[in-house]
Amino acid sequence: MKKRRVFWIFPVLIVLLASAALLGLMLGSAELTPRTVLDALLGRGADRTASLILFELRMPRVAAAILAGMGLASAGLLLQSVTDNDLCSPNIIGVNAGAGLAVMVVLCLFPAAFSLLPLASFVGAFGTTLLVLGITLGVGGHSSRTTVVLAGVAVGTLLSAGISFLSQLYPDALTSYAAFSAGSFTGIYAEDLPVPAAVIVLGAICSWALAPRLNLLCLGDELARTLGVRVRLLRLVCLMLASAMCACVVTFAGLLGFVGLIVPHMARRLAGHDLRVLFPLCAILGALLTVLADLAGRTLFAPAELPAGILLSILGAPFFLFLLFKRRRSHA
């Protein structure tokens, strides 16, 4: 039954994603008709204003939403697989807190250097993962799935305290930081995306390539070792891949939460537990979720606009609590 469902779920989701992307190109403060969008895409003499809106504003925004969903969902599945913890997500291991602290430092100490924010967020997110891995190795828990999570929670808490400390010293920086922490696809331009896109796509492909080994890892560390899996190296590589994808998303979308938590659970309900199927499925589902969240934020509260990150948090927090209660019942 699962195999039959997998056979048709990919075409259906691809059609849904294409439809959501088309709506993202059409809807907004200035609505465009499907004919106008098609004429502009094919270069058939569409209105110049419509072409400007489409190519300069909406196409980069929709592309950014697709990339963000793909990267965060793939990273979330990686983290849940290598830690054997279905509550694990990128923000759990401190990636968001690291990026937030780096951005806050730049806003406080170099308030005019807005061009440094993407680089700072990447360095903060990736550096946090290196710190978590260093702590994990330092306490001798390189093969412990629990140690990685606990180290990430501890580091994330410390970094969040740093953000709160700086916000007290430099309250004027809070306005800019609030926009970053909310997570949004507003103000993204095409030139912001090539490098993050390359890292995210390459990371997703590498994750899929590692799926057979991760399937063995899910059987247990000892059994995986007997089957030829280098458990420690695989776990480190997967954590670095997840961090790189998350760090790249943060550079253009800010702090988006819960995508990496929600999407892997949705994918498992649809297609089972084979990671060879789950990785491409998570990439498509994650892209669909973020595109829909951005579209809803633009249209439901027009003319005002709600950041996609807020809608994802509204959706994700109850889902997280549901998982907690479900886990409690299963262990009762």
Side-chain angles (χ1 to χ4, degrees):
M1 185 66 183
K2 289 281 187 182
K3 290 183 178 180
R4 189 181 306 169
R5 185 186 302 175
V6 169
F7 180 78
W8 59 260
I9 198 66
F10 279 99
V12 170
L13 287 176
I14 289 172
V15 170
L16 289 175
L17 177 58
S19 301
L22 179 60
L23 288 174
L25 297 177
M26 292 169 48
L27 302 179
S29 56
E31 294 190 6
L32 305 178
T33 64
R35 179 64 180 271
T36 302
V37 172
L38 183 62
D39 287 344
L41 292 176
L42 297 178
R44 297 196 305 210
D47 179 77
R48 184 176 179 182
T49 302
S51 297
L52 181 65
I53 293 173
L54 184 65
F55 289 107
E56 297 296 326
L57 299 177
R58 293 190 183 166
M59 284 188 69
R61 183 167 186 161
V62 171
I66 291 173
L67 288 170
M70 179 190 303
L72 293 175
S74 299
L77 182 59
L78 269 178
L79 293 173
Q80 291 179 15
S81 300
V82 299
T83 62
D84 193 27
N85 186 340
D86 59 1
L87 296 180
C88 191
S89 63
N91 55 304
I92 294 295
I93 64 168
V95 172
N96 283 3
L101 180 60
V103 166
M104 195 65 176
V105 168
V106 172
L107 291 173
C108 294
L109 303 182
F110 311 99
F114 282 98
S115 60
L116 294 177
L117 292 182
L119 177 61
S121 60
F122 180 87
V123 170
F126 201 74
T128 299
T129 300
L130 295 179
L131 178 59
V132 170
L133 292 177
I135 294 173
T136 303
L137 294 172
V139 299
H142 57 263
S143 62
S144 172
R145 294 164 290 197
T146 305
T147 305
V148 175
V149 177
L150 293 177
V153 171
V155 170
T157 302
L158 181 61
L159 296 176
S160 297
I163 294 173
S164 299
F165 175 73
L166 288 176
S167 67
Q168 295 297 316
L169 294 180
Y170 300 91
D172 292 341
L174 277 177
T175 302
S176 298
Y177 179 75
F180 171 80
S181 63
S184 174
F185 301 107
T186 304
I188 294 176
Y189 299 101
E191 55 267 24
D192 300 329
L193 297 179
V195 174
V199 175
I200 291 169
V201 172
L202 183 61
I205 293 172
C206 290
S207 301
W208 177 73
L210 291 172
R213 292 181 178 85
L214 287 170
N215 278 334
L216 297 177
L217 184 63
C218 292
L219 299 175
D221 288 4
E222 295 303 323
L223 182 56
R225 286 193 185 94
T226 62
L227 295 173
V229 177
R230 300 174 65 181
V231 172
R232 175 182 178 182
L233 179 61
L234 178 61
R235 187 163 282 129
L236 291 176
V237 168
C238 289
L239 288 171
M240 296 297 286
L241 273 177
S243 175
M245 288 189 284
C246 293
C248 286
V249 171
V250 168
T251 62
F252 61 82
L255 305 182
L256 293 173
F258 293 105
V259 177
L261 173 68
I262 296 173
V263 174
H265 286 273
M266 295 171 60
R268 291 189 194 99
R269 291 297 299 269
L270 290 173
H273 296 273
D274 188 347
L275 293 170
R276 294 171 297 179
V277 176
L278 289 181
F279 274 111
L281 184 58
C282 277
I284 298 172
L285 274 173
L288 178 61
L289 179 63
T290 48
V291 170
L292 289 176
D294 181 54
L295 183 61
R298 275 193 278 162
T299 57
L300 293 180
F301 305 95
E305 183 172 313
L306 193 66
I310 294 178
L311 287 174
L312 290 170
S313 296
I314 293 172
L315 177 66
F319 186 83
F320 185 78
L321 293 174
F322 167 76
L323 291 178
L324 284 177
F325 283 111
K326 182 180 178 182
R327 172 174 286 196
R328 180 183 177 183
R329 287 197 301 269
S330 65
H331 288 84

